[in-house]
Amino acid sequence: LGYLRIVASDSILLRDMEEERVAAASGEAAMNTEATATGTDRALRIRPAEHHDHTEGPKIENAASAATAPPSKRRKKHKHRDFDLDRYHERHVALRIAYLGMAYHGFASQGPDDEGSTVEAVLLRALQKACLIKDRTSSAYSRCGRTDKGVSAFGQVISINLRTHLTAEAGAGEVGFIRKESALESEVQRKLTETPKPEIDYVHLTNRLLPDDIKVTAWSPVPVEFDARFSASSRSYKYFFLREDNDIERMRAAAKLFIGEHDFRNFCKMDIAGGVTNYRRKILSISIEPADPVTDPDPQFGMYCIEVCGHAFVWHQIRCMAAVLFMVGRGDEDPEIVTALLDVEKHPCKPQYGMASDLPLVLYDCKFPNLVWRHGAVSLARISSVLHTHWRQSALTGAVVKSMLRGLREAEIPSTQPGAAPDSTEQWTGELAYERRRHIPLLERATSDTLEVKLETRRLKEAAKAAALEARPVAAEDINPT
């Protein structure tokens, strides 16, 4: 019954939208039909009596027979009319987004020319197609975080103004209601007042226009001053990894040293171009636990998860933290390397090291005070079905490869036992040949410039650019004759 109610509500919404688009063209189409009939009748009356129609079908010889002729099968063309959002009030809402980022160049849109390479561009385009927003600039849009290329999310949050079915009277006491003067006298509002409609199912309507790897999971009305970026109380990331040859206890000892407020300039990529000069962030908690309650005891296949919770993070912070933790887990660095790199007075320059992969990173949750998410049973069932399809395909592929790895352990290899016969064999131990490069201690590596040097370098570049523009000769077409 819940499914039927949602489908019926959505069908009524789409029907009303279509009626509004063609309403204006109906009168014009009727007038054109009447004019066409009048012209046809006049032509038939002046047709010579001896004229014969040589086409197939009944012959039309006078106006009386024309009235009984079958209507034309030619499709009538209605004048397209854009959906007028100014006839509706708005509501400030928060949307919770889940997406698999493997096929996208990050979450944040790359500008007006972005045709779908980012999650944000695809999401905003779907909201426009659903006639929920006019464009991004006029919808008070804000995002909680921006994930990099290949990174996924389960709890990304945006805040935005969307079209609402609430009238001025009904929305007066509702959270997030935005009264629009242009909608007060519209015919749409009169109909909504006479026959109130339930609030738009933002989750269901938007998901119909989104691909399977991007879905809205919930929504919530929020106060007008709510901002998805600045209103968040915490953000949580999960980073998945195989245990392999990592010492989990050593990694846990190093991870605890991140807790608290520190300067993370040695655990990130400095965003000087973006104007970021403060790299102090607070880590609320960090843990390293099995990804599943019952994990594979075989270290080759045991899946673990690093979960980090903090108020905010700097660029690439989680991937840099994970990279150093893996060095500790492999025994290449001591856990105390974390304390050393957090001491920017003693180590102001970041050692050069590679970040961990983007694939296993997930923005898992964004928390906001006093925010209650609204879910729909039908929408959750559909999203679960889509995610289960993704998981099933990946799990089956993993099971096939895993069986091959286990099968290799049954192989017989020449015996390595002292005094063994030349043709004797033994079972392979199954040890993996991990690719290990010679490790150079982090504190002995080449370093990048300090934050102060980078800021000064940028200042000099901007000054040189401004001087070059001032010294540029004025072109003749740039001179205003008046």
Side-chain angles (χ1 to χ4, degrees):
L1 290 176
Y3 173 77
L4 292 176
R5 291 191 189 99
I6 292 176
V7 172
S9 175
D10 192 50
S11 300
I12 293 172
L13 170 64
L14 295 178
R15 183 198 65 193
D16 292 347
M17 291 167 58
E18 184 62 23
E19 288 178 354
E20 290 172 4
R21 285 193 178 98
V22 303
S26 299
E28 181 181 349
M31 292 176 64
N32 292 339
T33 302
E34 181 180 355
T36 302
T38 302
T40 303
D41 184 64
R42 184 183 302 111
L44 290 171
R45 285 200 301 270
I46 63 175
R47 178 178 296 177
E50 66 274 18
H51 176 77
H52 296 282
D53 191 349
H54 296 285
T55 59
E56 296 181 359
K59 297 180 176 58
I60 302 175
E61 299 180 355
N62 52 47
S65 61
T68 60
S72 173
K73 294 183 179 180
R74 185 176 300 174
R75 180 178 298 176
K76 298 178 181 179
K77 294 183 179 180
H78 296 290
K79 183 179 180 181
H80 176 73
R81 185 179 182 185
D82 293 333
F83 191 87
D84 190 359
L85 286 169
D86 290 333
R87 295 181 295 175
Y88 291 85
H89 299 291
E90 293 180 340
R91 196 170 193 180
H92 196 51
V93 305
L95 299 180
R96 197 166 190 243
I97 318 296
Y99 54 87
L100 301 174
M102 299 78 170
Y104 298 94
H105 293 271
F107 180 79
S109 175
Q110 303 298 319
D113 296 331
D114 189 342
E115 297 182 354
S117 63
T118 62
V119 176
E120 192 173 64
V122 175
L123 176 62
L124 292 174
R125 184 171 58 190
L127 293 173
Q128 287 179 301
K129 286 185 177 181
C131 298
L132 294 176
I133 65 171
K134 184 179 297 184
D135 51 50
R136 172 177 175 168
T137 56
S138 62
S139 59
Y141 175 82
S142 177
R143 56 175 174 260
C144 185
R146 50 184 304 165
T147 53
D148 299 319
K149 177 182 178 181
V151 178
S152 301
F154 178 70
Q156 175 69 281
V157 175
I158 67 168
S159 56
I160 192 168
N161 293 343
L162 300 181
R163 174 172 59 88
T164 180
H165 276 163
L166 294 175
T167 61
E169 294 76 15
E174 294 291 334
V175 176
F177 180 76
I178 301 173
R179 175 189 173 108
K180 291 174 63 176
E181 296 297 327
S182 60
L184 294 178
E185 303 299 330
S186 69
E187 181 67 15
V188 172
Q189 293 301 309
R190 185 187 65 79
K191 291 182 179 180
L192 288 173
T193 301
E194 295 175 353
T195 309
K197 292 183 179 180
E199 184 57 288
I200 299 171
D201 188 344
Y202 298 119
V203 175
H204 176 66
L205 183 58
T206 307
N207 283 343
R208 292 182 58 177
L209 301 169
L210 287 172
D212 284 348
D213 51 4
I214 305 175
K215 292 298 177 185
V216 180
T217 61
W219 77 281
S220 176
V222 292
V224 177
E225 62 274 10
F226 178 92
D227 186 283
R229 178 183 178 187
F230 298 107
S231 299
S233 58
S234 67
R235 298 166 174 85
S236 296
Y237 283 86
K238 288 188 176 184
Y239 193 96
F240 296 89
F241 68 97
L242 289 170
R243 178 180 176 181
E244 296 179 332
D245 60 344
N246 287 297
D247 187 326
I248 301 300
E249 292 304 319
R250 283 174 57 88
M251 293 179 66
R252 285 171 176 163
K256 290 180 180 179
L257 302 176
F258 283 117
I259 297 176
E261 185 173 343
H262 306 282
D263 190 314
F264 283 91
R265 68 181 67 182
N266 289 331
F267 291 93
C268 72
K269 182 176 181 180
M270 294 187 186
D271 188 12
I272 303 300
V276 180
T277 58
N278 179 15
Y279 293 88
R280 294 193 67 83
R281 298 293 186 272
K282 186 175 183 179
I283 301 298
L284 301 175
S285 64
I286 183 169
S287 62
I288 304 176
E289 301 295 338
D292 294 313
V294 181
T295 189
D296 196 317
D298 191 327
Q300 293 184 16
F301 306 116
M303 185 70 71
Y304 278 73
C305 175
I306 305 171
E307 185 168 0
V308 187
C309 178
H311 288 310
F313 297 89
V314 286
W315 197 9
H316 293 326
Q317 180 179 338
I318 301 297
R319 293 169 63 187
C320 288
M321 290 170 59
V324 174
L325 288 177
F326 293 147
M327 295 180 195
V328 173
R330 292 191 298 265
D332 294 332
E333 297 284 349
D334 293 328
E336 290 72 26
I337 188 63
V338 172
T339 303
L341 293 178
L342 289 175
D343 187 353
V344 295
E345 295 293 332
K346 189 175 181 180
H347 300 285
C349 302
K350 177 188 175 183
Q352 295 180 3
Y353 62 89
M355 298 183 296
S357 170
D358 52 19
L359 178 64
L361 181 59
V362 182
L363 174 57
Y364 196 77
D365 194 18
C366 299
K367 292 189 179 300
F368 301 84
N370 304 320
L371 192 152
V372 180
W373 292 111
R374 298 186 181 183
H375 302 87
V378 174
S379 295
L380 288 179
R382 290 176 176 173
I383 297 169
S384 297
S385 177
V386 169
L387 290 178
H388 187 268
T389 300
H390 283 289
W391 172 82
R392 180 173 54 194
Q393 182 176 358
S394 300
L396 291 174
T397 302
V400 170
V401 177
K402 192 174 183 178
S403 68
M404 293 180 180
L405 288 172
R406 292 191 185 279
L408 290 177
R409 295 182 178 182
E410 301 175 1
E412 297 289 333
I413 61 174
S415 178
T416 58
Q417 300 298 324
D423 57 346
S424 63
T425 61
E426 63 183 21
Q427 188 173 353
W428 180 50
T429 60
E431 295 180 357
L432 294 182
Y434 295 105
E435 296 184 5
R436 299 289 297 275
R437 298 180 180 179
R438 186 178 70 87
H439 180 76
I440 301 176
L442 287 175
L443 299 182
E444 297 178 9
R445 298 188 182 188
T447 60
S448 60
D449 292 332
T450 65
L451 174 61
E452 293 73 21
V453 171
K454 289 185 175 183
L455 291 173
E456 180 63 16
T457 301
R458 180 169 178 80
R459 187 190 67 80
L460 293 175
K461 287 183 178 179
E462 291 178 347
K465 183 178 179 180
L469 290 175
E470 291 180 358
R472 182 174 64 89
V474 179
E477 57 271 16
D478 294 337
I479 300 176
N480 189 346
T482 60

